[in-house]
Amino acid sequence: QVQLVESGGASVQTGGSLKLSCAVSGATSGLKCMGWFRQAPGKQREGVELLQSGSRLGYSIPSLKGRFSISQDIAKNMLYLQMNNLQVEDTAMYYCAASTSICASGSRWDVQYYPYWGQGTQVTVS
């Protein structure tokens, strides 16, 4: 089993920055695609940033325009999401997710692709 625990969510002003963290534990050796998703009230959960574990191969959604970045500290079993120039539309619950399949798949943005999820951390921008 794999456990994911997010932290770092907060209320910030427009234009501010936040760094979210995800602690990964359990059967981590089989994890391949790691990512961050978000879900705003009344909206579907959407992928934000993905990272092929152990590499620098990442994927972002175009609408972010480079404001967010994903990184990993394998030694610490941590995944991070750096968010800059936050906007009101970034307000959402942010989730860490992990898959035993690689990111280079046409399904990488589908929530069903990820069997492991954290409980989420709230980001509010006003």
Side-chain angles (χ1 to χ4, degrees):
Q1 275 294 347
V2 174
Q3 293 80 43
L4 306 173
V5 180
E6 304 94 334
S7 61
S11 295
V12 298
Q13 292 187 338
T14 302
S17 297
L18 274 179
K19 186 174 185 178
L20 305 182
S21 299
C22 174
V24 186
S25 62
T28 61
S29 61
L31 299 178
K32 293 183 172 63
C33 190
M34 311 288 293
W36 289 93
F37 287 69
R38 65 185 181 184
Q39 188 167 18
K43 294 188 177 181
Q44 290 188 333
R45 192 170 298 189
E46 64 170 355
V48 175
E49 293 273 347
L50 306 176
L51 180 68
Q52 182 66 33
S53 186
S55 80
R56 294 188 177 184
L57 180 60
Y59 302 83
S60 303
I61 55 174
S63 60
L64 290 177
K65 299 180 182 178
R67 296 186 294 116
F68 292 9
S69 63
I70 189 171
S71 62
Q72 182 184 36
D73 186 331
I74 293 179
K76 295 182 179 179
N77 282 332
M78 296 294 293
L79 187 73
Y80 303 101
L81 181 68
Q82 177 67 46
M83 304 185 293
N84 299 322
N85 190 21
L86 283 161
Q87 303 298 308
V88 172
E89 54 265 32
D90 296 319
T91 294
M93 185 72 79
Y94 283 73
Y95 298 90
C96 177
S99 175
T100 55
S101 301
I102 61 174
C103 290
S105 163
S107 300
R108 59 178 169 262
W109 296 113
D110 294 343
V111 296
Q112 295 85 352
Y113 199 64
Y114 300 85
Y116 305 111
W117 292 87
Q119 82 290 348
T121 187
Q122 178 68 37
V123 173
T124 302
V125 186
S126 60

